[in-house]
Short mmCIF file of all heavy atoms in Angstrom, two decimals:
data_model
loop_
_atom_site.label_atom_id
_atom_site.label_comp_id
_atom_site.label_asym_id
_atom_site.label_seq_id
_atom_site.Cartn_x
_atom_site.Cartn_y
_atom_site.Cartn_z
N SER I 17 21.15 22.06 17.30
CA SER I 17 19.94 21.30 17.63
C SER I 17 18.77 21.79 16.81
O SER I 17 18.74 22.94 16.36
CB SER I 17 19.60 21.47 19.12
OG SER I 17 20.62 20.97 19.94
N LEU I 18 17.80 20.91 16.65
CA LEU I 18 16.54 21.23 16.02
C LEU I 18 15.46 20.38 16.66
O LEU I 18 15.73 19.29 17.18
CB LEU I 18 16.55 20.93 14.52
CG LEU I 18 17.24 21.90 13.56
CD1 LEU I 18 17.25 21.31 12.15
CD2 LEU I 18 16.58 23.26 13.57
N ARG I 19 14.23 20.87 16.58
CA ARG I 19 13.09 20.06 17.00
C ARG I 19 12.15 19.93 15.81
O ARG I 19 11.61 20.94 15.33
CB ARG I 19 12.36 20.69 18.18
CG ARG I 19 11.29 19.77 18.76
CD ARG I 19 10.40 20.49 19.73
NE ARG I 19 9.61 19.57 20.56
CZ ARG I 19 8.41 19.86 21.04
NH1 ARG I 19 7.85 21.04 20.80
NH2 ARG I 19 7.76 18.98 21.79
N LEU I 20 12.00 18.71 15.35
CA LEU I 20 11.09 18.44 14.25
C LEU I 20 9.71 18.10 14.80
O LEU I 20 9.60 17.45 15.85
CB LEU I 20 11.59 17.27 13.40
CG LEU I 20 13.04 17.37 12.90
CD1 LEU I 20 13.36 16.18 12.00
CD2 LEU I 20 13.31 18.68 12.20
N SER I 21 8.69 18.55 14.10
CA SER I 21 7.32 18.26 14.49
C SER I 21 6.59 17.58 13.34
O SER I 21 6.93 17.78 12.17
CB SER I 21 6.58 19.55 14.86
OG SER I 21 7.19 20.19 15.95
N CYS I 22 5.59 16.82 13.71
CA CYS I 22 4.75 16.14 12.71
C CYS I 22 3.31 16.22 13.21
O CYS I 22 2.99 15.66 14.26
CB CYS I 22 5.19 14.70 12.55
SG CYS I 22 4.10 13.68 11.53
N ALA I 23 2.49 16.94 12.48
CA ALA I 23 1.10 17.12 12.86
C ALA I 23 0.22 16.20 12.03
O ALA I 23 0.32 16.18 10.79
CB ALA I 23 0.68 18.56 12.66
N ALA I 24 -0.62 15.46 12.71
CA ALA I 24 -1.54 14.54 12.02
C ALA I 24 -2.92 15.18 11.92
O ALA I 24 -3.37 15.86 12.84
CB ALA I 24 -1.63 13.22 12.78
N SER I 25 -3.56 14.94 10.81
CA SER I 25 -4.94 15.37 10.64
C SER I 25 -5.72 14.29 9.90
O SER I 25 -5.15 13.54 9.11
CB SER I 25 -5.02 16.70 9.88
OG SER I 25 -4.42 16.58 8.60
N GLY I 26 -7.00 14.20 10.20
CA GLY I 26 -7.83 13.22 9.54
C GLY I 26 -7.76 11.83 10.15
O GLY I 26 -8.45 10.92 9.68
N PHE I 27 -6.92 11.64 11.16
CA PHE I 27 -6.88 10.37 11.86
C PHE I 27 -6.34 10.61 13.26
O PHE I 27 -5.75 11.65 13.56
CB PHE I 27 -6.04 9.33 11.12
CG PHE I 27 -4.54 9.53 11.18
CD1 PHE I 27 -3.75 8.78 12.02
CD2 PHE I 27 -3.93 10.50 10.38
CE1 PHE I 27 -2.38 8.96 12.06
CE2 PHE I 27 -2.56 10.69 10.42
CZ PHE I 27 -1.78 9.92 11.27
N THR I 28 -6.54 9.62 14.14
CA THR I 28 -6.15 9.76 15.54
C THR I 28 -4.77 9.15 15.74
O THR I 28 -4.60 7.92 15.75
CB THR I 28 -7.18 9.07 16.45
OG1 THR I 28 -8.47 9.64 16.19
CG2 THR I 28 -6.83 9.27 17.91
N LEU I 29 -3.79 10.00 15.90
CA LEU I 29 -2.40 9.56 16.00
C LEU I 29 -2.19 8.60 17.17
O LEU I 29 -1.34 7.71 17.10
CB LEU I 29 -1.50 10.79 16.11
CG LEU I 29 0.00 10.60 16.01
CD1 LEU I 29 0.62 11.66 15.11
CD2 LEU I 29 0.60 10.68 17.41
N SER I 30 -2.96 8.76 18.23
CA SER I 30 -2.77 7.96 19.44
C SER I 30 -3.04 6.47 19.22
O SER I 30 -2.71 5.65 20.07
CB SER I 30 -3.65 8.48 20.56
OG SER I 30 -5.01 8.38 20.21
N ASN I 31 -3.63 6.12 18.09
CA ASN I 31 -3.91 4.71 17.81
C ASN I 31 -2.74 3.97 17.19
O ASN I 31 -2.79 2.75 17.00
CB ASN I 31 -5.10 4.60 16.84
CG ASN I 31 -6.41 5.02 17.49
OD1 ASN I 31 -6.56 4.98 18.71
ND2 ASN I 31 -7.36 5.44 16.66
N TYR I 32 -1.65 4.70 16.88
CA TYR I 32 -0.60 4.11 16.06
C TYR I 32 0.79 4.25 16.67
O TYR I 32 1.12 5.27 17.29
CB TYR I 32 -0.57 4.79 14.69
CG TYR I 32 -1.86 4.65 13.92
CD1 TYR I 32 -2.84 5.63 14.01
CD2 TYR I 32 -2.09 3.54 13.12
CE1 TYR I 32 -4.03 5.51 13.31
CE2 TYR I 32 -3.28 3.41 12.41
CZ TYR I 32 -4.24 4.39 12.52
OH TYR I 32 -5.42 4.26 11.82
N TRP I 33 1.62 3.20 16.47
CA TRP I 33 3.05 3.38 16.59
C TRP I 33 3.45 4.40 15.52
O TRP I 33 2.98 4.35 14.40
CB TRP I 33 3.79 2.07 16.29
CG TRP I 33 3.93 1.13 17.43
CD1 TRP I 33 3.02 0.20 17.84
CD2 TRP I 33 5.06 0.97 18.28
NE1 TRP I 33 3.51 -0.52 18.89
CE2 TRP I 33 4.78 -0.07 19.19
CE3 TRP I 33 6.31 1.59 18.35
CZ2 TRP I 33 5.68 -0.49 20.17
CZ3 TRP I 33 7.22 1.18 19.32
CH2 TRP I 33 6.90 0.15 20.22
N MET I 34 4.34 5.30 15.90
CA MET I 34 4.82 6.31 14.96
C MET I 34 6.33 6.22 14.83
O MET I 34 7.04 5.87 15.78
CB MET I 34 4.43 7.71 15.43
CG MET I 34 2.93 7.97 15.46
SD MET I 34 2.15 7.87 13.84
CE MET I 34 2.91 9.26 13.00
N THR I 35 6.81 6.56 13.66
CA THR I 35 8.21 6.35 13.32
C THR I 35 8.76 7.55 12.57
O THR I 35 8.03 8.21 11.81
CB THR I 35 8.34 5.09 12.44
OG1 THR I 35 7.91 3.94 13.18
CG2 THR I 35 9.77 4.88 11.96
N TRP I 36 10.04 7.82 12.77
CA TRP I 36 10.78 8.77 11.93
C TRP I 36 11.72 7.96 11.03
O TRP I 36 12.45 7.08 11.50
CB TRP I 36 11.58 9.76 12.76
CG TRP I 36 10.75 10.79 13.46
CD1 TRP I 36 10.30 10.74 14.74
CD2 TRP I 36 10.28 12.02 12.92
NE1 TRP I 36 9.57 11.86 15.04
CE2 TRP I 36 9.54 12.68 13.93
CE3 TRP I 36 10.39 12.65 11.67
CZ2 TRP I 36 8.93 13.92 13.74
CZ3 TRP I 36 9.78 13.89 11.48
CH2 TRP I 36 9.06 14.51 12.50
N VAL I 37 11.69 8.27 9.76
CA VAL I 37 12.58 7.68 8.76
C VAL I 37 13.28 8.84 8.05
O VAL I 37 12.65 9.86 7.77
CB VAL I 37 11.78 6.84 7.73
CG1 VAL I 37 12.67 6.37 6.59
CG2 VAL I 37 11.12 5.64 8.42
N ARG I 38 14.56 8.69 7.76
CA ARG I 38 15.27 9.76 7.07
C ARG I 38 15.90 9.26 5.77
O ARG I 38 16.11 8.06 5.58
CB ARG I 38 16.34 10.39 7.96
CG ARG I 38 17.50 9.50 8.33
CD ARG I 38 18.44 10.24 9.28
NE ARG I 38 19.56 9.38 9.70
CZ ARG I 38 20.51 9.77 10.57
NH1 ARG I 38 20.45 10.98 11.12
NH2 ARG I 38 21.48 8.94 10.88
N GLN I 39 16.20 10.23 4.91
CA GLN I 39 16.79 9.91 3.61
C GLN I 39 17.79 11.00 3.26
O GLN I 39 17.42 12.15 3.00
CB GLN I 39 15.69 9.83 2.55
CG GLN I 39 16.19 9.36 1.20
CD GLN I 39 15.02 9.04 0.26
OE1 GLN I 39 13.98 9.69 0.28
NE2 GLN I 39 15.21 8.01 -0.57
N ALA I 40 19.06 10.65 3.28
CA ALA I 40 20.11 11.58 2.88
C ALA I 40 19.97 11.88 1.40
O ALA I 40 19.44 11.05 0.63
CB ALA I 40 21.48 10.99 3.19
N PRO I 41 20.44 13.04 0.96
CA PRO I 41 20.28 13.42 -0.45
C PRO I 41 20.84 12.38 -1.41
O PRO I 41 22.00 11.97 -1.29
CB PRO I 41 21.08 14.73 -0.54
CG PRO I 41 21.01 15.30 0.84
CD PRO I 41 21.05 14.11 1.76
N GLY I 42 19.99 11.89 -2.31
CA GLY I 42 20.40 10.91 -3.29
C GLY I 42 20.64 9.52 -2.75
O GLY I 42 21.14 8.65 -3.48
N LYS I 43 20.28 9.29 -1.50
CA LYS I 43 20.54 8.00 -0.85
C LYS I 43 19.24 7.27 -0.53
O LYS I 43 18.15 7.73 -0.85
CB LYS I 43 21.35 8.22 0.43
CG LYS I 43 22.67 8.92 0.22
CD LYS I 43 23.62 8.12 -0.66
CE LYS I 43 24.97 8.80 -0.79
NZ LYS I 43 25.89 8.04 -1.68
N GLY I 44 19.39 6.13 0.13
CA GLY I 44 18.24 5.31 0.49
C GLY I 44 17.61 5.72 1.80
O GLY I 44 17.92 6.77 2.38
N LEU I 45 16.70 4.89 2.26
CA LEU I 45 15.91 5.17 3.45
C LEU I 45 16.56 4.57 4.69
O LEU I 45 17.12 3.47 4.64
CB LEU I 45 14.50 4.58 3.27
CG LEU I 45 13.72 5.12 2.08
CD1 LEU I 45 12.54 4.21 1.77
CD2 LEU I 45 13.26 6.54 2.35
N GLU I 46 16.48 5.30 5.80
CA GLU I 46 17.03 4.82 7.06
C GLU I 46 16.01 5.02 8.17
O GLU I 46 15.56 6.15 8.41
CB GLU I 46 18.33 5.54 7.41
CG GLU I 46 18.95 5.04 8.72
CD GLU I 46 20.22 5.76 9.11
OE1 GLU I 46 20.34 6.98 8.82
OE2 GLU I 46 21.09 5.13 9.70
N TRP I 47 15.64 3.95 8.85
CA TRP I 47 14.79 4.03 10.02
C TRP I 47 15.55 4.72 11.15
O TRP I 47 16.73 4.40 11.39
CB TRP I 47 14.41 2.61 10.44
CG TRP I 47 13.56 2.51 11.66
CD1 TRP I 47 12.19 2.51 11.72
CD2 TRP I 47 14.01 2.35 13.00
NE1 TRP I 47 11.78 2.37 13.02
CE2 TRP I 47 12.87 2.27 13.82
CE3 TRP I 47 15.27 2.26 13.60
CZ2 TRP I 47 12.96 2.11 15.21
CZ3 TRP I 47 15.36 2.11 14.97
CH2 TRP I 47 14.21 2.04 15.76
N VAL I 48 14.92 5.67 11.82
CA VAL I 48 15.61 6.46 12.84
C VAL I 48 15.13 6.12 14.25
O VAL I 48 15.94 5.86 15.15
CB VAL I 48 15.41 7.97 12.58
CG1 VAL I 48 16.00 8.80 13.72
CG2 VAL I 48 16.04 8.36 11.24
N ALA I 49 13.82 6.18 14.45
CA ALA I 49 13.28 5.96 15.79
C ALA I 49 11.79 5.68 15.69
O ALA I 49 11.14 6.10 14.73
CB ALA I 49 13.52 7.18 16.68
N ASN I 50 11.27 5.01 16.71
CA ASN I 50 9.82 4.86 16.79
C ASN I 50 9.35 4.95 18.22
O ASN I 50 10.14 4.91 19.17
CB ASN I 50 9.34 3.59 16.09
CG ASN I 50 9.74 2.30 16.77
OD1 ASN I 50 10.46 2.31 17.77
ND2 ASN I 50 9.30 1.17 16.22
N ILE I 51 8.03 5.11 18.38
CA ILE I 51 7.43 5.31 19.70
C ILE I 51 6.06 4.66 19.72
O ILE I 51 5.27 4.76 18.77
CB ILE I 51 7.36 6.82 20.03
CG1 ILE I 51 6.82 7.06 21.44
CG2 ILE I 51 6.53 7.59 18.98
CD1 ILE I 51 6.98 8.51 21.91
N LYS I 52 5.79 3.98 20.82
CA LYS I 52 4.53 3.28 21.00
C LYS I 52 3.38 4.27 21.17
O LYS I 52 3.61 5.45 21.45
CB LYS I 52 4.63 2.37 22.23
CG LYS I 52 3.53 1.33 22.35
CD LYS I 52 3.78 0.43 23.54
CE LYS I 52 2.70 -0.62 23.67
NZ LYS I 52 2.92 -1.51 24.83
N GLN I 53 2.17 3.78 21.04
CA GLN I 53 0.98 4.63 21.10
C GLN I 53 0.95 5.53 22.33
O GLN I 53 0.62 6.72 22.24
CB GLN I 53 -0.29 3.79 21.06
CG GLN I 53 -0.63 3.17 19.73
CD GLN I 53 -0.05 1.77 19.56
OE1 GLN I 53 0.99 1.43 20.13
NE2 GLN I 53 -0.70 0.98 18.74
N ASP I 54 1.29 4.97 23.49
CA ASP I 54 1.20 5.75 24.73
C ASP I 54 2.54 6.36 25.15
O ASP I 54 2.66 6.93 26.24
CB ASP I 54 0.66 4.88 25.86
CG ASP I 54 1.56 3.69 26.17
OD1 ASP I 54 2.61 3.54 25.52
OD2 ASP I 54 1.19 2.90 27.06
N GLY I 55 3.54 6.21 24.31
CA GLY I 55 4.85 6.79 24.59
C GLY I 55 5.70 5.97 25.55
O GLY I 55 6.80 6.40 25.92
#
Side-chain angles (χ1 to χ4, degrees):
Chain I
S17 298
L18 282 174
R19 188 191 195 210
L20 308 184
S21 299
C22 172
S25 59
F27 74 103
T28 303
L29 189 136
S30 61
N31 291 336
Y32 300 93
W33 275 85
M34 296 297 294
T35 297
W36 288 95
V37 172
R38 66 183 178 182
Q39 186 169 35
K43 302 297 184 182
L45 300 164
E46 181 182 34
W47 178 90
V48 174
N50 69 357
I51 184 169
K52 195 176 180 180
Q53 287 91 332
D54 62 1

